[in-house]
Amino acid sequence: MSMETTAWTQLHGVLNAEHKSRPFARATLRRIGAFARPHRGRITLFVLLGVVTALLAVATPVLAGQVVDAIVSDGDEGTVVHLALLIALIAVAEAALGILSRRLSARLGEGLILDLRTAVFDHVQRMPVAFFTRTRTGALVSRLNNDVIGAQRAFSNTLSGVVSNLVTLVFTLVVMLTLSWQITLLALALLPVFVLPARRMGARMARMQREAAALNAAMGTRMTERFSAPGATLVKLFGRPEEESEEFAVRARRVADIGVRTATAQAAFITALTLVSALALALVYGLGGFFALRGSLEPGAVVSLALLLTRMYAPLTALAGARVEVMSALVSFERVFEVLDLKPLIEEKPDARDIPDGPVTVEFDDVRFGYPSADKVSLASLEEVASLDTRGGAEVLHGVSFRAEPGQTVALVGSSGAGKSTIAQLLPRLYDVDDGAVRIGGVDVRDLTASSLRATLGMVTQDGHLFHDTVRANLLLARPYATDADLWDALRRARLDDLVRSLPDGLDTVVGERGYRLSGGERQRMTIARLLLARQRVVILDEATAHLDNTSEAAVQEALTEALEGRTALVIAHRLSTVRAADQILVIEAGRVVEHGTHDQLLTAGGRYAELYRTQFERRAGEATLAGEAAA
């Protein structure tokens, strides 16, 4: 490795390492060992290859010196040829071992990445919904990418580097001291001049890199806001193009200025280290040549010392920065373990059982519930805040009880924030109750297997979420092995088959992020088609027709009628006209059931339901009058 290459490597390590001086617990090291244990065979072979490569690296300069001695002393031509062939053979061996070591390093590193990513991904999937409502997605994805890769470097780069550099350094020093201890000690005296600039300049450039990253992030955020469809519309309507351009130019100019400063500092850094290496070589050649002319040192030894010097400074510099790399890797491991140590609030019991076959009841028995505080479900680093919000735990449902018989539809109505959606989220066990019980088929949901619960219960929410994938893939989430005939049947029953047939690629048409290529009503009918395909026995509709116009609402309501047929249903709706036919209507206010009965019974009672119904009827009548006047 050349001096310049070593300098660039050291610079890269300093710029990319996260400096931490605090000690790490032994538990962290034990957990790292647990992840490394399945790969211990490869790690051992990897280390052995590093040792052999280090030995070969020292052998080449010694043989080169012997070639010089043979030439100077008018030795046998065969000796020179044999030595040259041996050097060539060592070079070939080094190349082969380098490829083998790189392949082994890649397999080791990628294997560790696979284990860590799988562990984190599986663990995150078990986290409650509250975790995802608080966590910033980018911060969580960073743990699966940047931190996992940082931890992987500990094995694929740092471990092999420390071992091979240490072995190379020991053998190099032994050979150099054997050849000339005076020159070796003088060469070592220049080491601080070589290492200290790496520390000082590296820290300075790291600060500039962080500043540049912050400026780029700010500029990127501004571009993202301005280039999104809502942002671009806002700028066109109310923005001032000249001021926007000027503000962007200021930010871009700051990025350009710091780029020039960083490039200049890098050039000075590399030049300084290369200069020091040249001075060290000059010392070896000058002092070694002096000793050689006086007959106290062989000419070949001077050449060997010069070549060995380059082999010595490279591992010395790398080892000087090894602590930074090790600490950086340990930080990455800790950040990964921080996520793995966050306990899921909802766990499946070892003796969990399946829901009984046949029609099932849904029962809430004196249910009390409060949303968990942030410290139980999240991490400050994932929310990107200084400290977690300690609020939470206050009871929002107070003794809710009702029962839906097989095939019945129970509707939940009431003011916004009354607790309707919270009740719906307890049934599929997105949260667990604090007191009381939620039962399906007479069995507490906490005693059921997750797979059985998913197979029995389906839910349609108001946002009709779809993945950025094809129509087929979004439907197959419900039944992975469904045939095309099954898909078309579900689309037909959801009143969506004609639309899908008209799309460019039919079932293989990509619907876009969150399904934005479809209208709101079409997205809702897609989620209903998914529900129909799953054939679940219990259905939850949480504001499934909210935010839809009358035409879309009518189409979705028609599809919902098909979806609810023969199923036990829990329906949440603001528009009371959509739940008039429900077998039972519950009026929820402030986390309590304040009224229950059929539509006619509740109207006759003249309570809260009658008040809500009258308010909506008067508002819709007013809207109809205004629409008629506008048309006239």
Side-chain angles (χ1 to χ4, degrees), residues 143 180 188 198 215 255 264 291 323 430 432 437 468 511 593 601:
R143 300 294 172 99
S180 174
L188 287 175
L215 290 172
V255 173
T264 304
F291 288 152
R323 180 181 175 278
L430 299 181
D432 271 345
H468 183 79
V511 300
V593 180
Q601 290 172 342

Side-chain angles (χ1 to χ4, degrees), residues 154-213:
F155 288 92
S156 61
N157 291 350
T158 306
L159 176 65
S160 63
V162 169
V163 173
S164 61
N165 286 326
L166 192 58
V167 173
T168 301
L169 180 61
V170 170
F171 279 96
T172 302
L173 281 174
V174 170
V175 175
M176 288 185 69
L177 289 170
T178 302
L179 293 174
S180 174
W181 64 268
Q182 300 95 330
I183 295 177
T184 303
L185 293 179
L186 285 173
L188 287 175
L190 289 175
L191 179 62
V193 184
F194 187 77
V195 174
L196 290 178
R199 293 285 187 178
R200 298 175 62 87
M201 292 292 292
R204 179 186 173 190
M205 282 184 285
R207 288 193 297 271
M208 287 191 290
Q209 288 281 356
R210 284 192 292 270
E211 184 181 351

Side-chain angles (χ1 to χ4, degrees), residues 95-117:
L97 288 176
I99 295 174
L100 181 59
S101 179
R102 184 66 190 93
R103 176 177 174 80
L104 193 59
S105 169
R107 295 193 63 177
L108 177 62
E110 295 301 328
L112 185 69
I113 286 178
L114 176 62
D115 293 345
L116 284 173
R117 279 183 175 160

Side-chain angles (χ1 to χ4, degrees), residues 414-437:
S415 306
S416 297
K420 304 184 297 297
S421 294
T422 302
I423 292 172
Q425 290 174 338
L426 295 178
L427 191 56
R429 209 185 171 197
L430 299 181
Y431 296 93
D432 271 345
V433 300
D434 296 330
D435 197 11

Side-chain angles (χ1 to χ4, degrees), residues 327-361:
M327 299 302 286
S328 175
L330 288 175
V331 167
S332 297
F333 269 113
E334 275 210 341
R335 286 167 59 84
V336 172
F337 292 152
E338 187 182 29
V339 176
L340 293 176
D341 288 339
L342 191 60
K343 300 297 183 185
L345 291 181
I346 299 174
E347 295 277 11
E348 183 177 299
K349 293 182 178 179
D351 57 346
R353 51 195 174 117
D354 293 337
I355 298 175
D357 294 332
V360 293
T361 59

Side-chain angles (χ1 to χ4, degrees), residues 42-52 104 159-160 163-164:
R42 287 177 183 163
I43 293 175
T44 302
L45 181 57
F46 191 35
V47 171
L48 290 176
L49 284 176
V51 172
V52 175
L104 193 59
L159 176 65
S160 63
V163 173
S164 61

Side-chain angles (χ1 to χ4, degrees), residues 293-316:
L293 291 174
R294 296 187 60 180
S296 59
L297 190 66
E298 295 294 332
V302 178
V303 175
S304 295
L305 285 168
L307 294 175
L308 287 168
L309 181 68
T310 62
R311 307 273 177 151
M312 182 183 70
Y313 269 83
L316 273 174

